[in-house]
Amino acid sequence: MPVDPIQLTRQLVDIESTTYHEGRAGAFLHAFLERERYQVERMPVSQPDRVLTPGAGDGERFNVYAALSGVTPDVVLSTHMDTVPPYFASSEDEEFLYGRGTCDAKGIIAAQIAAAERLREAGVKVGLLFVVGEERDSAGAKEANLHPKGSKFLINGEPTENRLALASKGALRVELRAKGRMAHSAYPELGESAINKLIEALHDVLAMPLPAEPEIGPSTLNIGLVEGGRAPNVIADKAEAHLLIRLVGPSEEIRQNILNVVGDRADVSFSLDLPFVKMRKVGDLPTMVAKFTTDIPSLTAWGEPFLLGPGSIHVAHTPDERIAKKELLESVDLYYNLATSLVS
């Protein structure tokens, strides 16, 4: 029987697979793809240190790669099986599928599997690559890049509303950690507030000019996490902030500017640096610019990249995550048409 993308999306969404806990989803895909007569390979991906990484798991996690036996693919369809928390199961009405991962990116997995079925029937040498860890650090993609399969083209799936992305922004994750000296808050002169130093440094970082790219737009900066202190009546001895900058060019200048602006008020570390990527137009597909970051910068060994997928990024990572059934089914045709045009 042909793959039903709607049914398969619901099956995948009903398997909880938040980042670091992707094992059950990977096992399901392995078994499903074997039943579809693929030769399936698991690429183990290590768990991070649970002390250093809150939320890290202790179970098995792995990428899933599938192709027909003995086939070196010309084109590989790829996306990620991990989701952001919190998990919530699937539901549907006449128009939409709902649930964590419906558009980011389990619906895309289902559409790519359905498209690959049609592609192999048409004689296209196609592979499938589903990775872990995209929502945190692209750990699965980085591992996959050590084991390329000789493909010429990589079609990566993210929610682009079925439009071909001409570019995707990069990402620079920055962590500031300030140190101080505890004291009774009635005698602040006896201590040194790490929070004050961090706030002053963040104020100056926010005032920094950021690069812009005429056809893409500006770099943007978000302070996503601030923690610190002991109690209201204690001068804070520690404080930290985590920032994410969406890049439209190289990161070197921004990194140096942050170091200069922060100075000795806090220690600065850069825990993720994924570059800005430009891609080419193909045929008459509608296009867009992705203001988000993907696994593409970490999959450079898998061929020329393209970015396309059903669903809207505006509902991804929200309690209202959903995907239109019509758009999901249309994406199967789009993946098929794009792949065949690339290899013809």
Side-chain angles (χ1 to χ4, degrees), residues 79-80 104-105 108 134 156-160 292 294 307-310 335:
T79 190
H80 58 96
D104 190 20
I108 294 172
E134 188 273 346
N156 190 242
E158 290 287 349
T160 68
F292 51 88
T294 74
L307 180 63
L308 174 70
Y335 283 129

Side-chain angles (χ1 to χ4, degrees), residues 6-176:
I6 293 173
Q7 179 186 33
L8 181 53
T9 297
R10 289 204 63 174
Q11 288 178 293
L12 287 164
V13 170
D14 287 337
I15 302 171
E16 183 174 356
S17 62
T18 53
T19 309
Y20 309 128
H21 305 275
E22 304 98 337
R24 287 180 57 230
F28 172 87
L29 284 168
H30 186 156
F32 184 92
L33 292 168
E34 281 193 331
R35 289 195 298 273
E36 295 297 312
R37 307 186 316 280
Y38 288 101
Q39 182 173 320
V40 185
E41 174 187 344
R42 297 187 181 191
M43 300 179 184
V45 179
S46 61
Q47 290 279 8
D49 188 303
R50 298 181 73 186
V51 174
L52 300 176
T53 308
D58 56 5
E60 183 183 21
R61 64 197 298 240
F62 48 88
N63 301 329
V64 174
Y65 172 74
L68 292 180
S69 180
V71 168
T72 298
D74 287 324
V75 60
V76 168
L77 305 177
S78 178
T79 190
H80 58 96
M81 64 182 94
D82 66 313
T83 67
V84 298
Y87 166 75
F88 54 102
S90 73
S91 61
E92 68 178 292
D93 58 26
E94 187 174 334
E95 186 176 0
F96 290 100
L97 298 175
Y98 303 88
R100 178 60 79 221
T102 45
C103 73
D104 190 20
K106 292 181 174 180
I108 294 172
I109 292 175
Q112 290 184 339
I113 291 174
E117 179 182 49
R118 289 177 54 190
L119 286 166
R120 71 181 190 183
E121 289 173 357
V124 175
K125 296 178 181 178
V126 63
L128 292 162
L129 174 66
F130 303 126
V131 302
V132 302
E134 188 273 346
E135 297 290 3
R136 280 296 299 172
D137 55 10
S138 290
K142 292 172 183 175
E143 180 64 32
N145 219 35
L146 302 175
H147 311 282
K149 303 301 179 182
S151 50
K152 300 173 184 175
F153 305 102
L154 174 79
I155 302 176
N156 190 242
E158 290 287 349
T160 68
E161 300 176 359
N162 278 344
R163 295 177 291 167
L164 189 66
L166 299 181
S168 65
K169 287 188 176 182
L172 179 65
R173 190 174 295 150
V174 190
E175 297 166 11
L176 307 185

Side-chain angles (χ1 to χ4, degrees), residues 71-299:
V71 168
T72 298
D74 287 324
V75 60
V76 168
L77 305 177
S78 178
T79 190
H80 58 96
M81 64 182 94
D82 66 313
T83 67
V84 298
Y87 166 75
F88 54 102
S90 73
S91 61
E92 68 178 292
D93 58 26
E94 187 174 334
E95 186 176 0
F96 290 100
L97 298 175
Y98 303 88
R100 178 60 79 221
T102 45
C103 73
D104 190 20
K106 292 181 174 180
I108 294 172
I109 292 175
Q112 290 184 339
I113 291 174
E117 179 182 49
R118 289 177 54 190
L119 286 166
R120 71 181 190 183
E121 289 173 357
V124 175
K125 296 178 181 178
V126 63
L128 292 162
L129 174 66
F130 303 126
V131 302
V132 302
E134 188 273 346
E135 297 290 3
R136 280 296 299 172
D137 55 10
S138 290
K142 292 172 183 175
E143 180 64 32
N145 219 35
L146 302 175
H147 311 282
K149 303 301 179 182
S151 50
K152 300 173 184 175
F153 305 102
L154 174 79
I155 302 176
N156 190 242
E158 290 287 349
T160 68
E161 300 176 359
N162 278 344
R163 295 177 291 167
L164 189 66
L166 299 181
S168 65
K169 287 188 176 182
L172 179 65
R173 190 174 295 150
V174 190
E175 297 166 11
L176 307 185
R177 292 181 174 85
K179 299 174 184 176
R181 186 172 64 254
M182 281 193 291
H184 195 291
S185 65
Y187 302 91
E189 69 276 8
L190 299 181
E192 184 181 23
S193 173
I195 288 177
N196 287 357
K197 291 196 288 186
L198 182 66
I199 289 173
E200 292 169 1
L202 289 173
H203 175 271
D204 293 344
V205 168
L206 284 173
M208 285 172 35
L210 295 174
E213 218 281 343
E215 296 180 1
I216 308 302
S219 299
T220 57
L221 185 153
N222 178 58
I223 302 172
L225 176 67
V226 179
E227 294 180 328
R230 305 285 180 170
N233 59 348
V234 178
I235 301 299
D237 64 322
K238 62 179 182 178
E240 65 181 76
H242 296 228
L243 291 64
L244 186 65
I245 300 172
R246 301 289 179 178
L247 302 170
V248 297
S251 67
E252 287 77 7
E253 182 179 351
I254 293 177
R255 291 163 64 114
Q256 190 57 54
N257 287 346
I258 291 173
L259 292 170
N260 293 340
V261 165
V262 173
D264 61 2
R265 293 177 292 188
D267 295 327
V268 180
S269 61
F270 303 99
S271 56
L272 180 69
D273 191 346
L274 296 174
F276 165 71
V277 176
K278 279 190 172 183
M279 292 160 281
R280 67 179 168 99
K281 180 176 173 58
V282 177
D284 58 359
L285 284 171
T287 60
M288 56 87 75
V289 170
K291 295 185 178 181
F292 51 88
T293 308
T294 74
D295 272 333
I296 284 175
S298 299
L299 290 169

